[in-house]
Amino acid sequence: MAITSALTVAPSKCEAHCAALTTTAIRPVAPALNPSSAKLDARQLSLSLLFDEPAAPPASEPAAKIDPIAGERQRQVLLGGQPTAYRLKRGKRRTIGFQIDDNGLTVSAPRWIALREIEAAIGEKERWIRTKLTEWRDFKARRQLPDVRWHCGGTLPYLGAPITLRLRAEVETTQLLHTAAGAAELHLALPTDALEGQIKDTVQAWLQTEARRVLGERLALLGERLETQPKAWSLSSARSQWGSCTHDRRIRLNWRLIHFGLPVIDYVVAHELAHLKEMNHSPRFWHAVAQLLPGFEAARDEIKSVDLASLPV
């Protein structure tokens, strides 16, 4: 997930070597961009610079730090009087694109366009960039789940509600119990001096066992409504997707769904079951999901706001 926007510039006369441009393009008066004529248009996804060939070689740029992971140049620009970091990606492209995601602001540009013109375009989008950076930080804070403390008294989500960890050396197996006040406690067959790693491994093994039970039950229940069943299903430990369905009718469901309430679990299960009929995301596919689970939209929106990598285990 990322936020993108664009800058559209009013048309003017091109030099002889310029190609005909669309309404989403920047038309330079000379080889350089005139940012003062720019108009904001949030509907566009990029800042187009369409030419048959470069108007001029790129101007030399000051030294910049290279990100060893992404291979991108890390720079800073003043926005609202505050230094704002951004990543500059250059490549064989005809557009300048702005994107805001977990990495902050990323600007993608053609190799030949001068740095001063890129930063002039950033300046034109200053208000939008500052607003979206704030919104993204707020979004990350909302989707980030609290860290689990792996000791007696720590809590974590199970079926959408918190459970408290208790170390009980006297019990033979891990079991979920409820107090007189109705609070859920997970009693672990571990001594009170158990290490954090032992506690985490024991909890994860129990959660995976519960996931196999609960997800299997929901898969069978919703499969009856569809009057079809997958050829096989299994648990997944992926950190990038909640579920998948293959062309040979095999479904995989992420065991970490056990952290969520049944409405969210049912949505993911219904989503994958619907793929048994439609291996796409066409209107017919979403119609199949709605038939299986009317009112699924709220659950879909809930899980879309969660970063899978932020889950405690």
Side-chain angles (χ1 to χ4, degrees), residues 7-290:
L7 193 64
T8 301
V9 174
S12 61
K13 185 177 296 182
C14 289
E15 293 185 327
H17 62 272
C18 294
L21 306 182
T22 67
T23 57
T24 61
I26 288 183
R27 297 177 181 262
V29 176
L33 173 68
N34 179 12
S36 62
S37 63
K39 297 181 181 179
L40 300 181
D41 185 353
R43 295 171 299 177
Q44 305 298 332
L45 297 180
S46 62
L47 177 64
S48 297
L49 296 152
L50 304 181
F51 295 89
D52 286 336
E53 60 186 71
S60 59
E61 300 180 6
K65 180 180 178 182
I66 302 295
D67 185 337
I69 297 177
E72 301 166 1
R73 293 181 180 273
Q74 296 179 315
R75 298 185 176 276
Q76 281 193 340
V77 65
L78 286 178
L79 294 180
Q82 298 294 323
T84 301
Y86 73 94
R87 284 177 167 82
L88 176 59
K89 297 171 60 177
R90 289 186 178 273
K92 293 181 178 179
R93 54 179 294 140
R94 296 183 176 185
T95 62
I96 294 177
F98 300 89
Q99 177 173 302
I100 294 173
D101 56 19
D102 284 342
N103 296 318
L105 172 63
T106 299
V107 180
S108 301
R111 291 195 179 103
W112 57 269
I113 192 72
L115 177 63
R116 66 180 180 275
E117 299 181 21
I118 294 173
E119 295 197 341
I122 294 174
E124 286 293 318
K125 301 293 291 183
E126 175 181 338
R127 179 179 297 181
W128 183 90
I129 291 171
R130 292 173 60 193
T131 298
K132 296 306 177 183
L133 283 172
T134 299
E135 291 178 359
W136 191 266
R137 283 191 290 267
D138 292 344
F139 169 72
K140 286 181 65 177
R142 289 195 304 271
R143 72 180 183 175
Q144 186 73 33
L145 298 180
D147 291 334
V148 174
R149 301 176 64 184
W150 300 105
H151 60 66
C152 189
T155 61
L156 77 159
Y158 166 73
L159 290 180
I163 58 174
T164 303
L165 306 180
R166 300 296 183 194
L167 304 185
R168 298 287 188 263
E170 67 275 11
V171 303
E172 295 183 359
T173 59
T174 300
Q175 51 189 311
L176 182 65
L177 302 174
H178 291 82
T179 66
E185 294 186 346
L186 186 62
H187 289 208
L188 308 175
L190 292 172
T192 55
D193 61 351
L195 299 177
E196 288 189 2
Q198 291 176 290
I199 298 172
K200 182 177 181 179
D201 289 345
T202 301
V203 171
Q204 181 169 322
W206 181 81
L207 289 172
Q208 289 178 339
T209 299
E210 284 295 288
R212 185 172 297 280
R213 177 183 66 83
V214 174
L215 295 176
E217 292 173 354
R218 306 314 291 181
L219 196 60
L221 177 64
L222 292 173
E224 290 179 0
R225 299 180 188 176
L226 192 66
E227 297 182 351
T228 187
Q229 292 287 341
K231 181 178 180 180
W233 82 276
S234 59
L235 293 180
S236 163
S237 296
R239 282 291 188 177
S240 58
Q241 58 184 183
W242 296 110
S244 62
C245 179
T246 63
H247 284 280
D248 61 352
R249 303 175 64 81
R250 296 178 186 272
I251 286 177
R252 289 173 61 81
L253 298 171
N254 198 308
W255 69 264
R256 295 178 178 87
L257 287 167
I258 199 65
H259 290 301
F260 298 90
L262 288 180
V264 169
I265 291 175
D266 284 349
Y267 162 66
V268 176
V269 171
H271 185 113
E272 301 311 328
L273 283 172
H275 279 312
L276 296 178
K277 286 193 169 182
E278 296 290 337
M279 288 297 292
N280 51 57
H281 290 102
S282 65
R284 288 187 301 180
F285 165 80
W286 291 111
H287 178 70
V289 175

